[in-house]
Amino acid sequence: MATDFTLRGLPVPARYSSAESMPMSFPNIPIRLGLFALFLLGWALQPPVHAAASAQADPRQTWQMLDYIAVDYAGAVQGGRIIAPGEYAEMQEFAGTVRTQLASLPASPKQPELLAQADQLIAAVAAKTEPDQVAALARGLADTLLASFPIAAVPTSPPEPARAAALYAQQCAACHGPQGHGDGPAAASLEPPPIAFTNAERAAQRTPLALYEVISQGVPGTSMASFAGLPEAERWALAFYVGSLAYSPQARADGEGLWRENAEVRGRIPSLETLTRTREADLAATWPAAQARAIVAYLRSKPQAVTESVAGTGTLALARQQLAGSERAFAAGDVAQATTLALSAYLDGVEPVEPMLATHNAALLREIEAAMARYRAQLSGHAAPAEIAAQLAQINALFDRAEAVLQDSHMDTTTAFLGSFTILVREGIEALLIVIGMIAFLRKAERREVLPYVHAGWLGALLAGAATWAAATYLVDISGANREVTEGVSALFAAAVLLSVGIWMHQKSLAGRWQQYLHAKLSAALTRRSAVFLFVLAFVAVYREVFETILFYIAMWSEPASGAIVAGLAAGSAVLVAVAYWMLRLSKRLPIGRFFSVSSILIAVLAVILVGKGVAALQEAGWVAQALIAVPRIEWLGIYPSWQSVLAQLAVAIAAVIGFLVNTRTARAPVTETKV
């Protein structure tokens, strides 16, 4: 901890040293649509402009100063009297600097509120207000700052504090001591002396986020250097590790019992993000101090507990926790956080058990999905608290029924086989329709030299699916929101391309235009752009289904039923091979004009189905609003009970009909083929 680090000129007192175009006329239109869709995907995955601007202004420095004030003001003022003039002067300087930095941040809707809170803080410090009131003002301002300018500091996966022990011994023990008492071999020569992590009072006021920020940024004027060179995961692990040194093994054991037995406790800390911002003192305002201390002791030593279902609490425990947190966030006026938690309740809490529940009681699963969609709509519409409470009561009652069904209906071999078989066949048929259609068309057009690109696309999708399975099993936890975004964007991309291709194929099926097309294009050379387009379409169409199928299999896998699941997978694969063979045989027998006509209609229908599924997936991920209507939910047709998905399907259907009508009216007009 001896390297130099300057926090961009931020004045921090010396005493802080804590580590706290296709030639056969697959036209340019679908190519451009595909490229445009990929551009939209890349654009959507970029951070918002507002967030980027606020990162340049570095609001995390302002947040860190507010944390200093909240923790250390008590060392400057007690009972309205200054007990440490030097420290009090620094508190005044800090409060003024916070006000100046807030004024220099990019304009935002909450900036007037931020500045008003900063003025209150300055006035409170000047009036020598009691430490608890100043701390409340500083933390309130810090929370408002985070809501307006997120500092994007949340672990991507649960930290592993136990693995940080060796890292602590290597990097920190020389100053802070082997046990964190601040008595390392180098401590005597340091001024100011290192912070003792075992200080219970100070530990009660610190959050893992505050510790992570100090580890990442360092403290100028002290021996505490920046450790930004360490991987982010190691810095988070260190933050939780040093944050746990003030707690005894007994406190951790007591906390584990409280966590497992008390659903209210679990609901209070429903996510990793919440845990990183939770102080022992926050919990002590609701529970007895000893319990608050024990809970924090346990979660600091095992943060992954907040992402795990608790044994004996039911299959839908995580969904219940997230909904409880959503209700509290809504009551506090934070609709955005309430909506985020509501989405997590469904995507991370309910979707993993969908294959099992759908096998036993599909109607109940649809009830749960509809009830949770209504709840999210109520949140967006700022419904009355009584309506929110009533809807949550209905959802929890449905959860009770679902858990009873899942508990009474163990995953027997028949259920496992049917579930595995159904999932594969259901997801595979859609991909087959697109890929077999492409292969059949290229064979009819006598362009077999193009087929390798199609085969490379679907084979590549299968390989990518295998990589996804490995990553989701051994490396990362693919969140529900990311899963839905991937499915939604890929479905909309495929729908856009299929709509344009369907209209084009319908045109070629009329008045012998397919004959003119073939004579004009049969000798055209294959371009790189056309080949890439074919590859991308085949890849996207198959990967979307493979991606969803893999995640379903991961969710339903169990060792006792593994044989039946594998048998269902094998049987489903055999059925898909038979269907593919039948479709190819049928396409060979159809006259080419009839083939074009039938294919164009089938492709247009697929586009309508896919756009409905794509919009629904993006709604579940929170990317698209959801206004419910009373229509049946028919998943295999892509029909979902929301205005957005139904109107999107109507728009695509109308576009297809208009395209077909225009083709019919111009069928007798002279045709001149041009290369596009």
Side-chain angles (χ1 to χ4, degrees):
M1 295 191 181
T3 59
D4 294 328
F5 180 78
T6 300
L7 199 59
R8 298 184 186 175
L10 179 65
V12 181
R15 71 179 184 280
Y16 293 102
S17 62
S18 62
E20 340 214 88
S21 136
M22 208 176 144
M24 69 287 288
S25 186
F26 253 138
N28 281 337
I29 293 175
I31 297 172
R32 290 169 180 169
L33 282 170
L35 294 175
F36 181 64
L38 291 176
F39 164 77
L40 286 179
L41 175 59
W43 171 83
L45 295 178
Q46 296 299 315
V49 173
H50 174 77
S54 59
Q56 292 174 357
D58 210 358
R60 63 173 56 199
Q61 296 178 3
T62 310
W63 181 89
Q64 189 177 11
M65 294 181 69
L66 288 167
D67 187 69
Y68 284 144
I69 295 173
V71 174
D72 293 305
Y73 177 82
V77 175
Q78 288 291 337
R81 295 174 57 252
I82 299 173
I83 59 174
E87 294 189 2
Y88 178 69
E90 288 167 349
M91 292 296 103
Q92 290 180 302
E93 181 184 1
F94 274 25
T97 303
V98 165
R99 175 62 165 79
T100 301
Q101 291 191 352
L102 290 175
S104 69
L105 289 172
S108 74
K110 288 192 176 183
Q111 192 167 42
E113 181 183 350
L114 288 166
L115 294 176
Q117 288 181 267
D119 289 336
Q120 292 177 12
L121 180 61
I122 292 172
V125 173
K128 308 175 188 62
T129 305
E130 287 302 305
D132 57 343
Q133 298 179 45
V134 171
L137 287 171
R139 291 199 170 96
L141 177 52
D143 291 341
T144 307
L145 176 64
L146 281 179
S148 188
F149 297 95
I151 66 175
V154 179
T156 56
S157 60
E160 301 184 54
R163 294 190 178 183
L167 185 61
Y168 174 86
Q170 178 185 0
Q171 302 284 356
C172 314
C175 298
H176 296 279
Q179 307 302 321
H181 295 293
D183 57 354
S189 61
L190 299 178
E191 181 59 37
I195 288 297
F197 295 124
T198 52
N199 185 316
E201 281 187 40
R202 192 172 185 85
Q205 300 296 325
R206 307 305 279 169
T207 65
L209 174 59
L211 295 165
Y212 170 82
E213 286 298 323
V214 173
I215 291 170
S216 299
Q217 301 190 51
V219 181
T222 76
S223 58
M224 181 61 205
S226 164
F227 282 82
L230 289 176
E232 182 180 340
E234 291 186 0
R235 281 179 276 145
W236 274 115
L238 266 177
F240 275 85
Y241 178 78
V242 300
S244 68
L245 292 177
Y247 302 98
S248 67
Q250 184 59 51
R252 298 187 189 106
D254 293 342
E256 181 175 8
L258 290 168
W259 179 257
R260 294 183 176 280
E261 296 166 6
N262 195 326
E264 185 180 357
V265 173
R266 298 191 298 274
R268 177 70 181 271
I269 310 175
S271 66
L272 272 176
E273 182 176 9
T274 305
L275 178 59
T276 62
R277 289 161 169 75
T278 298
R279 302 176 303 130
E280 177 189 326
D282 296 329
L283 297 182
T286 305
W287 289 286
Q291 292 186 9
R293 182 174 179 81
I295 293 166
V296 169
Y298 172 61
L299 294 180
R300 294 268 178 97
S301 65
K302 190 180 179 182
Q304 63 267 34
V306 299
T307 64
E308 297 173 347
S309 294
V310 178
T313 60
T315 310
L316 298 170
L318 178 58
R320 294 183 192 270
Q321 291 177 32
Q322 301 297 68
L323 284 179
S326 173
E327 183 178 25
R328 284 191 301 274
F330 183 79
D334 193 345
V335 177
Q337 178 67 2
T339 303
T340 298
L341 291 171
L343 284 168
S344 176
Y346 174 70
L347 296 172
D348 301 317
V350 176
E351 271 209 339
V353 302
E354 273 193 1
M356 292 179 288
L357 186 56
T359 301
H360 294 101
N361 193 330
L364 176 57
L365 175 60
R366 299 294 168 255
E367 284 188 66
I368 292 175
E369 291 174 339
M372 298 188 76
R374 282 195 297 272
Y375 174 66
R376 296 194 296 272
Q378 288 175 337
L379 292 177
S380 301
H382 298 269
E387 292 181 47
I388 295 293
Q391 187 64 27
L392 285 174
Q394 178 188 356
I395 293 173
N396 279 299
L398 291 171
F399 284 175
D400 291 338
R401 290 171 55 194
E403 287 178 339
V405 168
L406 294 172
Q407 184 176 1
D408 293 341
S409 304
H410 297 295
M411 183 69 82
D412 55 35
T413 55
T414 301
T415 299
F417 176 86
L418 291 176
S420 174
F421 176 84
T422 303
I423 288 170
L424 185 62
V425 172
R426 183 187 69 189
E427 303 298 334
I429 289 295
E430 283 184 16
L432 271 182
L433 288 173
I434 297 174
V435 174
I436 296 301
M438 295 169 64
I439 294 173
F441 164 74
L442 292 172
R443 288 180 173 178
K444 287 286 186 181
E446 299 183 19
R447 298 305 306 273
R448 295 177 181 270
E449 78 277 11
V450 187
L451 286 173
Y453 294 93
V454 178
H455 293 312
W458 68 262
L459 285 171
L462 293 180
L463 292 175
T468 301
W469 169 80
T473 304
Y474 301 108
L475 300 178
V476 298
D477 181 16
I478 301 177
S479 73
N482 289 336
R483 178 173 66 245
E484 297 300 333
V485 168
T486 300
E487 294 176 11
V489 172
S490 59
L492 293 180
F493 167 83
V497 173
L498 290 175
L499 176 62
S500 59
V501 171
I503 294 173
W504 171 81
M505 292 188 73
H506 180 262
Q507 180 192 50
K508 301 305 176 188
S509 72
L510 299 172
R513 292 194 175 193
W514 59 270
Q515 294 174 331
Q516 298 174 30
Y517 162 76
L518 289 180
H519 287 304
K521 300 301 178 183
L522 198 55
S523 61
L526 177 66
T527 67
R528 178 178 296 274
R529 184 170 59 178
S530 302
V532 171
F533 169 72
L534 285 170
F535 172 84
V536 171
L537 179 57
F539 181 90
V540 170
V542 175
Y543 182 71
R544 177 189 177 275
E545 308 301 337
V546 171
F547 181 78
E548 186 172 9
T549 302
I550 286 172
L551 295 175
F552 272 129
Y553 274 103
I554 290 174
M556 72 182 295
W557 184 265
S558 67
E559 287 299 329
S562 59
I565 294 174
V566 172
L569 176 64
S573 301
V575 169
L576 291 178
V577 170
V579 171
Y581 177 77
W582 174 80
M583 291 173 66
L584 289 171
R585 288 288 300 270
L586 180 63
S587 67
K588 288 182 178 180
R589 296 177 181 177
L590 284 175
I592 191 167
R594 177 69 61 84
F595 171 79
F596 269 46
S597 179
V598 172
S599 296
S600 64
I601 296 173
L602 177 60
I603 286 175
V605 171
L606 275 175
V608 173
I609 294 172
L610 285 175
V611 78
K613 291 188 173 186
V615 171
L618 294 181
Q619 285 177 322
E620 291 181 351
W623 280 35
V624 176
Q626 188 174 40
L628 301 177
I629 56 174
V631 298
R633 180 186 178 112
I634 310 175
E635 287 194 18
W636 64 278
L637 289 178
I639 298 175
Y640 297 85
S642 78
W643 278 114
Q644 290 83 356
S645 62
V646 171
L647 289 177
Q649 287 188 297
L650 285 175
V652 172
I654 291 171
V657 171
I658 291 175
F660 288 3
L661 289 176
V662 170
N663 290 338
T664 302
R665 289 187 177 185
T666 59
R668 296 179 181 178
V671 178
T672 301
E673 291 290 343
T674 58
K675 184 175 180 179
V676 293

